[in-house]
Amino acid sequence: MTKDEKIIIIGSGMAGYMLSQSIRQESKDVKIMMITEKDGRFYPKPMLSTALFHHKSPEDIVTSSADEMAEKYQLEIRTHTKVSAVDTKAKEVILEDGQREVYDKLVLAAGSRAKNLSNAECSGCHSINAIEDYEDFLSALVGVKQVLIVGSGLVGVEFAHDLLKSGHHVTMLSQEEVPLSGLIPEEIGLICKKHLISMGLNWCVDSGVKSMCDEKEKVAVTFDTLAPKQFDIVLSAIGIAPRTDLAESMGLKIDQGVVTDAYGQSSHEDIYAIGDCAKTYGLNLTYVAPIKQQAKAISQNLLGGRVVIEYPAMPVVVKMPTLPLTLVPVREVEVKGSWKVEKNDTEGISAGFYDQEGNIKGFALVGEATKERNNWLKKMPASIVE
């Protein structure tokens, strides 16, 4: 691309900014415009679930304003601006006020939205997928003691730890017998569960929430089998879904995310997708390490390169500072295999996930065993995808 050509990025989350940074490493001249419905603050999203433990306010988490990012990386950032449509033939982004912005290459970095609990029409139920959500949650948390967290995945576990450490009484509703089910073996899940219970967590297993409503400044919750109960506030942590509405309106191929090839390119040659909204190699990976790999390749491809996105083993550190827990999730379209615990003693547990041919596909380490991470990484294949 020449200095007169323009890349437009829709979205100002970590994916959009990481891509902008990578493009600038490759080219100082190409024009980059970012369009975002929000204020464009740059912040590390993973910090949200440990902010209370580290005594960090939202202001402490934010590293740069939109203006600061624009100046640092020579970006034109349109904040509080909604995209109503994209004319792929004219190669124009149509804004809500009718303005049109011409692009040479377009990148969708629209992110994700939190999945909603059914039958949960109440002001006391929150979900956190962005700093604005976290600010709302913090405001509602003032003076609150009894918190219900629905969901026992990564987000639920990390926020449970953070809220317990800050003095709240936390109940976790799980559909599984152990937290982080599907990510770690049951033996490590039990350690995680016992640790949270030792911190004061009230662990409950039920198939789901039947209904939820505001009732006298409380949230009244009825469950499928458990007795009804009231809580001061509810945090829904049942997962996220890619934001694909705009991509669908453009006629792009969608399958639980914007489908891209190995180069990050969508079904339209001039349009790419990155981050939570993208599905590459048949996988929708919603954490930071894959975004870095995507940004590294896509930045070069936008400028005329032909670089495949590489997915090496990418460790995830579960943010429970009082219990070291590291894993490399099994990332395959169809997971086949089983866990094998290879060390289980007072120093921790280490386990590998092996396919039917005995090839290692992932691992999980807890306690002192996390010090073995580099040795386990050496066992992993160079790429987690074919």
Side-chain angles (χ1 to χ4, degrees), residues 331-353:
R331 298 301 188 186
E332 292 191 342
V333 177
E334 187 176 2
V335 177
K336 292 183 178 179
S338 59
W339 286 100
K340 179 184 177 183
V341 174
E342 301 194 8
K343 177 182 178 181
N344 187 348
D345 57 30
T346 56
E347 295 184 351
I349 297 177
S350 57
F353 188 94

Side-chain angles (χ1 to χ4, degrees), residues 260-265 272 280-281 297-298 301 305-309:
T260 82
D261 61 15
Y263 306 96
Q265 193 174 66
Y272 293 71
T280 307
Y281 297 116
I298 293 173
N301 297 336
R306 197 67 175 162
V307 181
V308 299
I309 296 169

Side-chain angles (χ1 to χ4, degrees), residues 10 15 27 41 56 66 109 114 116 127 131 140 142 159 205 212 220 238 259 294 310 313 323 346:
I10 300 177
S27 171
R41 286 175 287 178
K56 298 284 188 181
N116 294 321
S127 57
I131 196 165
V142 176
F159 271 103
V205 178
M212 192 180 295
I238 60 173
V259 176
Q294 293 165 6
E310 296 182 350
L323 179 68
T346 56

